[in-house]
């Protein structure tokens, strides 16, 4: 396959940045999207040019590192997959593929495709955990949890913190991410003890970081690689109202 890549190149936060075109001739349909970028970087390195910086780690949809906006879609054209799980067979020979970083007020570009997603880490630090001294590992069935509740909590826990929901939202809202983290713990008995402070602190941190309000367009759910449901946003809002009235 031959493809033309138009990739966002930006040296740093203060640099204006621009799309730069590259032609690649030796792409195979079975290459992953990130392997195709590796091939580009190999060619750039051989020519002594600056390679494209892009985030990646597990390359199997688990870590949430990869974060490319591909042809105007967060993580590319397929639903329910991260960019690292996308393969070149999803494109046609001769295609032009536009690759950009997440664009959001709260995520500034560090270099090329790499953006600073530490605002999401600070939201987790504000309350996305259970702060009890757990002692030894309890038996799996020591605290019974009804199966439908466990499954809903598990769906929320599938969030990999990639930030695609923020990038896809026209308000650059982080509501789906924060809701997944709040909901996962609010649903389980282990998370109830700190539920009030958790939702108040995480939402306050989300606002402090400069994320926008929910746009109610459901673009976040549509582009989420783990298909986290917007119903978790409704739960977070209920948790927030309860916490403010308590
Ligand atoms: S909710 Fe989905 S899109 Fe948002 S950070 Fe989590 S996995 Fe990524
Ligand atoms: S590289 Fe880990 S989710 Fe894509």
């Amino acid at each position: 396959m031959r493809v033309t890549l138009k990739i966002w190149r930006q040296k740093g936060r203060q640099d204006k940045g621009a799309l730069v075109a590259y032609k690649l001739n030796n792409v195979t349909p079975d290459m992953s999207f990130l392997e195709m970028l590796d091939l580009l970087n190999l060619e750039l390195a051989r020519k002594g040019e600056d390679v494209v910086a892009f985030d990646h780690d597990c390359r199997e949809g688990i870590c949430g590192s990869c974060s490319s906006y591909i042809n105007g879609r967060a993580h590319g054209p397929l639903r329910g997959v991260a960019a690292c799980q996308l393969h070149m067979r999803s494109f046609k020979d001769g295609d032009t593929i536009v690759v950009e970083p997440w664009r959001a007020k709260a995520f500034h570009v560090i270099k090329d495709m790499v953006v600073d997603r530490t605002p999401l880490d600070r939201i987790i630090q504000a309350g996305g955990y259970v702060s009890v001294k757990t002692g030894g590992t309890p038996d799996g069935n020591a605290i019974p949890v009804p199966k439908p509740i466990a499954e809903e909590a598990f769906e929320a826990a599938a969030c990999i913190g990639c930030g695609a929901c923020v990038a896809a939202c026209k308000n650059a809202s982080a509501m789906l991410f924060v809701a997944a983290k709040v909901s996962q713990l609010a649903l389980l008995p282990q998370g109830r003890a700190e539920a009030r402070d958790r939702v108040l602190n995480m939402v306050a941190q989300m606002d402090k970081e400069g994320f926008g309000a929910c746009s109610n367009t459901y673009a976040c759910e549509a582009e989420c690689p783990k298909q986290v449901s917007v119903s978790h946003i409704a739960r977070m809002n209920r948790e927030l109202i309860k916490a403010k009235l308590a």
Side-chain angles (χ1 to χ4, degrees), residues 75 120 158-166 176-177 180-181 220 223-228:
H75 291 296
L120 300 185
C159 167
I160 54 175
C162 63
C165 46
V166 177
L176 191 62
F177 165 77
K181 302 303 180 189
C220 53
E223 300 293 49
C224 172
K226 297 298 162 187
Q227 300 186 299
V228 173

Side-chain angles (χ1 to χ4, degrees), residues 107 117-125 161-163 166 174 177-178 209 211:
F107 295 158
R117 281 176 288 176
T118 54
L120 300 185
D121 296 338
R122 287 191 289 273
I123 293 171
I124 295 293
Q125 284 161 8
C162 63
V166 177
F177 165 77
V178 182
E209 298 289 351
F211 293 104

Side-chain angles (χ1 to χ4, degrees), residues 27-215:
V27 175
T28 66
D30 293 332
M31 271 181 185
S32 73
F33 191 79
L34 299 190
E35 283 167 346
M36 183 275 298
L37 292 180
D38 289 339
L39 181 67
L40 169 69
N41 277 345
L42 192 63
E43 294 195 2
L44 291 175
R46 280 185 181 141
K47 288 191 272 185
E49 292 179 25
D50 190 23
V51 298
V52 176
F54 64 94
D55 262 334
H56 59 101
D57 190 0
C58 71
R59 297 196 176 208
E60 52 186 348
I62 295 170
C63 72
S65 298
C66 57
S67 52
S68 302
Y69 221 77
I70 303 163
N71 283 348
R73 300 277 307 274
H75 291 296
L78 302 184
R79 281 188 87 120
V81 298
C84 58
Q85 298 169 295
L86 179 66
H87 288 81
M88 293 310 292
R89 55 182 169 266
S90 295
F91 301 92
K92 292 194 298 296
D93 185 34
D95 269 0
T96 295
I97 307 169
V98 180
V99 193
E100 298 169 90
W102 288 166
R103 298 195 189 279
K105 184 179 157 204
F107 295 158
H108 71 257
V109 173
I110 296 171
K111 189 176 182 218
D112 301 332
M113 311 298 303
V114 180
V115 301
D116 180 4
R117 281 176 288 176
T118 54
L120 300 185
D121 296 338
R122 287 191 289 273
I123 293 171
I124 295 293
Q125 284 161 8
Y129 50 82
V130 173
S131 62
V132 291
K133 290 190 171 54
T134 54
T137 311
D139 285 346
N141 57 359
I143 305 173
V145 178
K147 194 162 190 302
I149 301 287
E151 281 176 356
E152 220 176 331
F154 190 76
E155 191 215 74
C159 167
I160 54 175
C162 63
C165 46
V166 177
C169 176
K170 64 182 179 179
N171 286 348
S173 170
M175 291 285 272
L176 191 62
F177 165 77
V178 182
K181 302 303 180 189
V182 165
S183 194
Q184 163 198 348
L185 294 171
L187 281 160
L188 299 175
Q190 296 91 332
R192 285 311 314 170
E194 294 168 299
R196 180 182 174 276
D197 287 350
R198 176 179 305 112
V199 71
L200 289 173
N201 293 339
M202 290 181 80
V203 169
Q205 190 65 34
M206 171 180 80
D207 292 341
K208 195 171 152 197
E209 298 289 351
F211 293 104
C214 179
S215 60

